[in-house]
Amino acid sequence: MAFATKMTVPGVRARKGGKALTCVTAYDAPTAALLDEAGVDLVLVGDSVGNVVLGYESTIPVTMDEMVHHVRAVRRGMSRALLIADMPFLSYQPGTEEAIRNAGRFLKEGAEAVKLEGGPEVAGTVAALVAAGIPVMGHVGLMPQRLRLLGGPRSQGRDAASAAGIWRGARALERAGVFAIVLESVPSELARRVTRDCAVPTVGIGAGPFCDGQVLVFHDLVGLTASPPPFAKAWGRGRLEFRRALAGYRRDVESGRWPSARGGADLPVAELAELDAMIRDLGDKA
Ligand code: KIV
């Protein structure tokens, strides 16, 4: 199936209340190509690259340089979906100037929008980025960059006051000019209200069915994650398939079943005779 239409920021906005948006993370070119082929709308180079592929315990150590490396790779692999780059910890909090420099760097490297975590406290930064021509996706609810404050990846908005804080944060982001908002690990009835009251699409992760779209980490959805988060669903058995393939490779190499004698590009008989003569000659001189 061909999905020819290029996804754009206005295209994302236009999906408010319409067909659900699909967003998936990617960190490399072949995965990005798969997502593009599958017709996914948004490809997020998430700072989850830190814990998903770089072996960090959280997203906190991820740097701008690491993110740029992965954004470049993803850009090379895809063209149709909208490419969103996640602003890593401390790449936008120090101030507006730094935020514009870093977000602008992502756009120069091929991202089409950036995502950053926070509510009213980042609204000024969001407005400045948008004024500079940089589309911004917001992110409220569980904000993994604040893991140390929260004491762990806990779901958020579990009482009326904190739920109202998240609702207020989403509205502040909307006023500041975001084109979409990620709602992470919040009750579905809160997500329903944010979705109802914000004019821009909400994209949920662990936020129930009432958002305008959903986002998942690629490795979770294809079954590659050893301990996926409880809200994730795997539509494939990636770990099982990879284990099977690796066991098959090892079995066939160790038993001599692969590669076959005809597996390599063999030399013509005349070339082989000449090679043997040369080796004999070289051997005498070595
Ligand atoms: O970094 C990430 O992958 C994310 C998504 C899970 C929303 O922020």
Side-chain angles (χ1 to χ4, degrees), residues 23-27 44-52 59 67 86 115 117 137-139 142 144-145 182-184 203-205 215-218 220 231:
C23 178
V24 181
T25 65
Y27 316 109
L44 171 68
V45 185
D47 62 350
S48 51
V49 68
N51 39 296
V52 177
T59 59
M67 287 300 297
D86 221 355
K115 175 172 85 59
E117 297 179 8
M137 180 183 228
H139 183 154
L142 175 63
Q145 292 175 11
V182 168
L183 297 176
E184 180 165 353
V203 181
I205 175 162
V215 51
L216 276 179
V217 166
F218 173 82
D220 294 346
F231 55 75

Side-chain angles (χ1 to χ4, degrees), residues 1-5 19 33-41 80:
M1 208 188 302
F3 302 91
T5 318
K19 186 166 80 163
L34 272 177
L35 298 183
D36 228 21
E37 280 165 33
V40 163
D41 298 305
R80 191 204 47 79

Side-chain angles (χ1 to χ4, degrees), residues 47-52 54-64 66-67 87-93 117 143-152:
D47 62 350
S48 51
V49 68
N51 39 296
V52 177
L54 297 180
Y56 297 141
E57 261 184 37
S58 74
T59 59
I60 292 169
V62 176
T63 64
M64 271 303 295
E66 284 168 335
M67 287 300 297
M87 308 264 324
F89 182 57
L90 290 192
S91 68
Y92 56 100
Q93 292 92 342
E117 297 179 8
M143 294 180 273
Q145 292 175 11
R146 300 182 190 192
L147 220 58
R148 299 285 177 248
L149 271 179
L150 302 173

Side-chain angles (χ1 to χ4, degrees), residues 12-275:
V12 174
R13 282 180 177 277
R15 293 275 284 275
K16 176 72 190 176
K19 186 166 80 163
L21 289 158
T22 49
C23 178
V24 181
T25 65
Y27 316 109
D28 57 58
T31 306
L34 272 177
L35 298 183
D36 228 21
E37 280 165 33
V40 163
D41 298 305
L42 315 172
V43 170
L44 171 68
V45 185
D47 62 350
S48 51
V49 68
N51 39 296
V52 177
V53 304
L54 297 180
Y56 297 141
E57 261 184 37
S58 74
T59 59
I60 292 169
V62 176
T63 64
M64 271 303 295
D65 286 346
E66 284 168 335
M67 287 300 297
V68 165
H69 179 75
H70 290 278
V71 166
R72 282 183 185 146
V74 167
R75 176 74 289 162
R76 289 191 283 265
M78 59 169 270
S79 57
R80 191 204 47 79
L82 189 80
L83 199 172
I84 305 169
D86 221 355
M87 308 264 324
F89 182 57
L90 290 192
S91 68
Y92 56 100
Q93 292 92 342
T96 305
E97 229 176 85
E98 181 88 348
I100 291 178
R101 197 172 22 255
N102 286 327
R105 185 173 170 207
F106 278 141
L107 258 65
K108 283 174 186 286
E109 297 291 353
E112 296 161 287
V114 299
K115 175 172 85 59
L116 52 81
E117 297 179 8
E121 70 284 4
V122 298
T125 304
V126 169
L129 291 173
V130 175
I134 301 167
V136 182
M137 180 183 228
H139 183 154
V140 292
L142 175 63
M143 294 180 273
Q145 292 175 11
R146 300 182 190 192
L147 220 58
R148 299 285 177 248
L149 271 179
L150 302 173
R154 308 190 194 307
S155 57
Q156 300 295 301
R158 306 204 65 80
D159 58 66
S162 66
I166 292 167
W167 184 93
R168 216 177 308 116
R171 292 298 300 267
L173 290 172
E174 182 195 359
R175 273 194 305 278
V178 297
F179 69 92
I181 303 171
V182 168
L183 297 176
E184 180 165 353
S185 295
V186 298
S188 58
E189 283 301 330
L190 170 59
R192 191 208 284 265
R193 283 158 177 74
V194 173
T195 302
R196 178 193 65 197
D197 298 335
C198 284
V200 295
T202 57
V203 181
I205 175 162
F210 306 118
C211 298
D212 296 301
Q214 298 292 327
V215 51
L216 276 179
V217 166
F218 173 82
H219 296 64
D220 294 346
L221 91 79
V222 297
L224 276 175
T225 310
S227 314
F231 55 75
K233 173 176 171 180
W235 281 263
R237 299 202 285 176
R239 279 173 74 78
L240 191 75
E241 284 300 321
F242 278 26
R243 265 203 222 105
R244 258 198 211 128
L246 290 166
Y249 164 73
R250 199 179 136 209
R251 187 187 54 237
D252 286 358
V253 171
E254 287 178 357
S255 68
R257 204 175 315 152
W258 186 88
S260 71
R262 290 183 300 149
D266 264 322
L267 280 172
V269 175
E271 295 293 329
L272 204 52
E274 196 177 333
L275 170 66

